[in-house]
Amino acid sequence: MKWIKKIVIVILALLFLVPGISYAEPVQDGTTAGDTAAFAGQASIDGSGTSDGSGTSDGSGTSDGSGTSDGSGASDGLEPAPAGLVIDNQNRYEGMERTYSEGYIPKVERGRVYLVVPLLCSGRMKDNCLRASLNLGDSEQSPFVIKNYEKNIYLEQMYVNDGSGLAESYVAAFWLELKAERYNGSYPVVVTVQGEDENGNTAGQEFTVYVTIADGKEKKDETDEEETHISPKVVIQSCQFSKPDIQAGDEVTAEITLVNTSAAEEVRGLVVTVGTEAEFLTLLEQSNTLYAESIPASGAFTASCRFRVNRAAPQGQYALELAMNYTDSKSNECSGEGKVMVSVAQPTQVQFDPVVIPQQVEVADTIEVSVQVMNLGRSKVYNVRAVLQADGLVPQGTLFVGDLEEGTVGNGSTQVSVGSRSGDSPYGKTEGTMTFYYEDEAGTQQTQVLPFETSIQSPFTGNEETKEEQTGQWWILMAVILVVLSAAAGVFILRRIRRRKSDAEVEEILET
């Protein structure tokens, strides 16, 4: 009884193993078409493939030919996998000079291409039939005459490798007509194969085969076929202002020269739009747009515009902005832009008070001379200083005031030694100047001169007057003394005379 049970188990095992058996003729290298078909699991079915090489899309098959994942047969109730398609890359079919593994290239002869795509199937197709069609790519770039290439192909025993072997396969073979005007290169042809297996599953796959064209024309670069067109450029060449030095508050006319840089092509319909980048420049024209019908090759156009500089504009550079739109000789729209820089200076307004110096000075005295400076402008002034010059006056140094911000006052002073004037008269009136120096924000030095005068006196002038005054009083005193002495002498003499007369009268009386 044990040997009967063993026979039953073997028979059941054989029944399960029969669906996994495939038949193929031997090929030149000793393998079979069934061996090659074992690689069908590498191709996708309806766009999907397997990762285990089992020839199924769900991985339920195995490589041991059992048709199941665990060797127990189909008792698990899974649906059979669709058949897989793969190119036979081991055998060389009629019309092929190399196998696909050796780098098959379709044959090109007499204006036609013979394309061969041999396919192996991992299962059985319904009626052993597949539908094959071609996609030749972009009709303009393709070297092929565009037609509808589609036909049925059948499973057949095919002679391979120059008749040395047989292979059971589906062979999609097409003759492709080439264009008379074609260019050399490598062009892809997509072969689409579709069908239905015996279990009713749809199987399909796309294969790309490259066709090499070597008997056509050489492709040329676009730069060789057609010279690249470079549109002309309009740029700002120069600008002339109506004033050489532009200050805040000025009204100025700008003559802007625009030049066509192309030596071979004119510019048409030039529209120039003028604008300003800051509020300190104001356009005075009613329109900020200028027009030129054309500018010849290497020609120029002068755009004129008037503007005013705001009085409050700080010293610096401001831009007139130009936007240019035009067309070239091929009616291509072109544009450009540029800037004209305007240098603006703030006028300096510095006021100097009169020089403070005594009206009379004496030789050998030292006096202090002072100045006062006011910045009435809108810009800063730098290094304000003054130098005194006068005959008989020697300053000890420069009167330095320093930097003055707008709307500020500065003072400066120095000690001055008084000497005698040069020439015949060392004393008397002398005239001098106070020269002021300062720099504006542009670094330009400016000067202003103020005159003054004073009188140089001798240091002894006051003593002589006192001596003269004292001398005059002495003579008066002497005169008074002389008068008193004279009166006293007269009185004394008169008394002497009277006494002598009285004595004479007495003697005369005595004698009598």
Side-chain angles (χ1 to χ4, degrees):
M1 294 299 292
K2 292 183 179 180
W3 62 270
I4 295 174
K5 290 182 180 180
K6 291 181 179 180
I7 293 173
V8 172
I9 292 173
V10 170
I11 293 172
L12 290 175
L14 290 174
L15 289 175
F16 287 115
L17 290 174
V18 167
I21 299 175
S22 61
Y23 169 79
E25 295 294 333
V27 296
Q28 185 178 10
D29 58 1
T31 62
T32 65
D35 295 330
T36 308
F39 294 98
Q42 297 175 357
S44 65
I45 302 173
D46 288 339
S48 63
T50 65
S51 60
D52 60 359
S54 64
T56 67
S57 62
D58 57 0
S60 62
T62 66
S63 60
D64 60 0
S66 65
T68 67
S69 61
D70 57 1
S72 62
S75 60
D76 57 358
L78 296 176
E79 292 292 334
L85 297 171
V86 66
I87 291 179
D88 183 359
N89 60 6
Q90 299 297 319
N91 296 303
R92 179 164 40 85
Y93 291 75
E94 183 180 357
M96 297 174 59
E97 296 180 352
R98 300 177 183 176
T99 65
Y100 272 84
S101 63
E102 295 171 341
Y104 163 70
I105 299 175
K107 184 186 299 184
V108 179
E109 59 181 17
R110 298 179 182 179
R112 295 193 303 170
V113 175
Y114 187 60
L115 176 66
V116 180
V117 182
L119 300 173
L120 302 178
C121 183
S122 62
R124 292 295 176 180
M125 304 302 298
K126 182 179 179 180
D127 300 329
N128 291 325
C129 178
L130 292 172
R131 191 73 175 170
S133 61
L134 302 182
N135 182 355
L136 302 180
D138 185 5
S139 60
E140 293 185 2
Q141 302 296 328
S142 174
F144 311 108
V145 175
I146 303 301
K147 294 181 180 180
N148 291 321
Y149 294 94
E150 186 172 355
K151 65 180 179 180
N152 292 331
I153 56 176
Y154 296 91
L155 182 64
E156 299 180 89
Q157 292 284 341
M158 306 293 295
Y159 284 102
V160 296
N161 305 320
D162 297 328
S164 63
L166 287 173
E168 188 178 46
S169 61
Y170 296 87
V171 178
F174 295 89
W175 281 102
L176 308 179
E177 186 178 351
L178 294 174
K179 296 177 182 177
E181 292 290 331
R182 57 184 179 272
Y183 292 96
N184 294 336
S186 184
Y187 299 90
V189 176
V190 179
V191 181
T192 303
V193 182
Q194 292 181 332
E196 184 178 334
D197 64 15
E198 59 185 2
N199 295 317
N201 297 316
T202 301
Q205 183 69 37
E206 286 187 350
F207 304 93
T208 301
V209 181
Y210 285 89
V211 177
T212 300
I213 303 298
D215 61 350
K217 297 180 179 180
E218 292 295 333
K219 288 185 178 180
K220 297 182 179 180
D221 294 337
E222 294 181 359
T223 54
D224 295 336
E225 295 178 356
E226 182 179 355
E227 184 178 354
T228 302
H229 176 258
I230 301 176
S231 298
K233 303 294 183 183
V234 176
V235 299
I236 299 173
Q237 184 183 55
S238 62
C239 181
Q240 296 292 330
F241 296 106
S242 58
K243 294 185 176 182
D245 297 318
I246 301 175
Q247 295 187 342
D250 288 349
E251 292 188 4
V252 185
T253 299
E255 300 289 340
I256 306 169
T257 301
L258 306 177
V259 64
N260 177 7
T261 60
S262 175
E265 188 175 356
E266 70 174 356
V267 168
R268 300 173 183 175
L270 173 65
V271 177
V272 181
T273 304
V274 183
T276 61
E277 67 175 3
E279 61 182 2
F280 300 112
L281 300 182
T282 303
L283 298 177
L284 301 179
E285 306 289 353
Q286 293 183 349
S287 174
N288 67 336
T289 302
L290 304 170
Y291 177 77
E293 184 174 352
S294 65
I295 301 178
S298 301
F301 168 72
T302 300
S304 178
C305 68
R306 294 173 56 245
F307 63 92
R308 179 175 57 246
V309 183
N310 192 317
R311 290 185 180 276
Q315 184 162 308
Q317 279 196 331
Y318 301 93
L320 290 173
E321 298 177 329
L322 276 68
M324 297 161 283
N325 295 279
Y326 53 93
T327 58
D328 59 16
S329 59
K330 297 183 180 296
S331 298
N332 296 319
E333 292 187 358
C334 307
S335 62
E337 59 183 21
K339 293 183 179 181
V340 174
M341 304 309 297
V342 182
S343 296
V344 176
Q346 268 287 345
T348 55
Q349 300 181 30
V350 182
Q351 179 176 310
F352 302 93
D353 286 350
V355 181
V356 178
I357 190 171
Q359 293 183 351
Q360 292 183 351
V361 294
E362 292 183 358
V363 174
D365 283 350
T366 298
I367 61 175
E368 183 179 62
V369 177
S370 61
V371 295
Q372 181 171 277
V373 184
M374 293 177 288
N375 183 4
L376 304 179
R378 295 180 180 270
S379 60
K380 186 177 181 179
V381 291
Y382 301 86
N383 301 321
V384 182
R385 58 202 183 277
V387 176
L388 184 146
Q389 290 180 324
D391 187 16
L393 301 180
V394 181
Q396 295 182 2
T398 300
L399 289 81
F400 188 77
V401 179
D403 301 341
L404 292 180
E405 299 286 348
E406 57 178 297
T408 58
V409 178
N411 296 280
S413 62
T414 188
Q415 299 294 316
V416 179
S417 299
V418 182
S420 59
R421 297 190 313 166
S422 61
D424 296 336
S425 176
Y427 311 116
K429 184 176 71 172
T430 183
E431 295 180 349
T433 59
M434 184 73 75
T435 303
F436 294 91
Y437 300 90
Y438 60 93
E439 289 94 38
D440 57 21
E441 289 192 339
T444 304
Q445 179 174 285
Q446 301 187 34
T447 60
Q448 186 170 339
V449 179
L450 293 181
F452 68 89
E453 64 179 31
T454 186
S455 178
I456 298 177
Q457 302 292 323
S458 169
F460 307 107
T461 300
N463 294 335
E464 290 177 355
E465 291 178 353
T466 303
K467 185 177 179 179
E468 290 178 358
E469 182 178 351
Q470 291 175 352
T471 303
Q473 293 176 354
W474 180 81
W475 282 109
I476 294 173
L477 180 60
M478 291 299 295
V480 173
I481 294 174
L482 287 175
V483 171
V484 172
L485 291 175
S486 298
V491 172
F492 177 76
I493 293 173
L494 182 60
R495 286 180 179 180
R496 291 282 295 177
I497 294 173
R498 287 180 177 178
R499 177 177 293 182
R500 286 178 180 181
K501 186 178 180 181
S502 192
D503 290 340
E505 288 178 354
V506 170
E507 287 179 0
E508 184 180 352
I509 293 175
L510 290 176
E511 288 179 1
T512 58

